[in-house]
Amino acid sequence: MLQPPHQSLQAAATIPVQRTPERDDDAGPWHADAVCRRDEAGLFFAPSKEPTAARLSREQAAKRVCARCPVLVECREHALLMPEPYGVWGGLTAAERRVVLSRRRRATASAAPPPAEVTRIA
Ligand code: SF4
């Protein structure tokens, strides 16, 4: 099972963050190159009761990390496909990922052929 490249603050506190060959094997091909593997600053997941201004600032900082990450596309697609409900992944917040998924669903629905009954009537 693929593990997130960055850990929530709670997970980071309980899981060793040293990079090991065993963890890399389990993680998948893109995970090993994630810039955020050691999220010491806790940028990617919100602490509880985070004020809005602090959240926006933290998310912007996380996005700046993502912008220089060589596996941004892979990470983003992973987060969209799972879907990951929390945190910044692939330069997108959870709310932004919901917008992307909604747009993809609408695009897929409009590209689909009409149902058979509609075709017969028309
Ligand atoms: S794109 Fe961002 S969240 Fe994804 S692996 Fe890279 S730094 Fe981490």
Side-chain angles (χ1 to χ4, degrees):
M1 181 175 165
L2 191 58
Q3 298 296 315
H6 45 257
Q7 305 292 329
S8 67
L9 292 178
Q10 182 180 5
T14 57
I15 299 173
V17 294
Q18 289 89 7
R19 190 168 163 172
T20 66
E22 182 181 38
R23 287 189 67 208
D24 289 347
D25 288 346
D26 292 343
W30 62 271
H31 187 272
D33 295 324
V35 170
C36 62
R37 283 181 65 89
R38 298 181 60 133
D39 179 25
E40 290 95 343
L43 295 177
F44 293 87
F45 289 95
S48 64
K49 300 180 181 176
E50 182 179 40
T52 300
R55 175 180 57 79
L56 295 173
S57 175
R58 179 186 50 74
E59 289 174 346
Q60 289 305 312
K63 288 180 177 189
R64 284 193 293 274
V65 174
C66 293
R68 61 183 172 84
C69 181
V71 293
L72 184 148
V73 172
E74 294 87 344
C75 173
R76 180 177 292 179
E77 286 306 310
H78 160 81
L80 290 167
L81 287 173
M82 289 304 287
E84 295 288 353
Y86 306 110
V88 173
W89 293 76
L92 298 178
T93 64
E96 292 166 337
R97 290 194 301 277
R98 286 193 294 273
V99 171
V100 170
L101 287 172
S102 176
R103 287 179 180 164
R104 285 186 179 181
R105 278 192 292 272
R106 281 199 302 272
T108 301
S110 65
E117 289 182 32
V118 174
T119 304
R120 271 187 259 131
I121 292 171

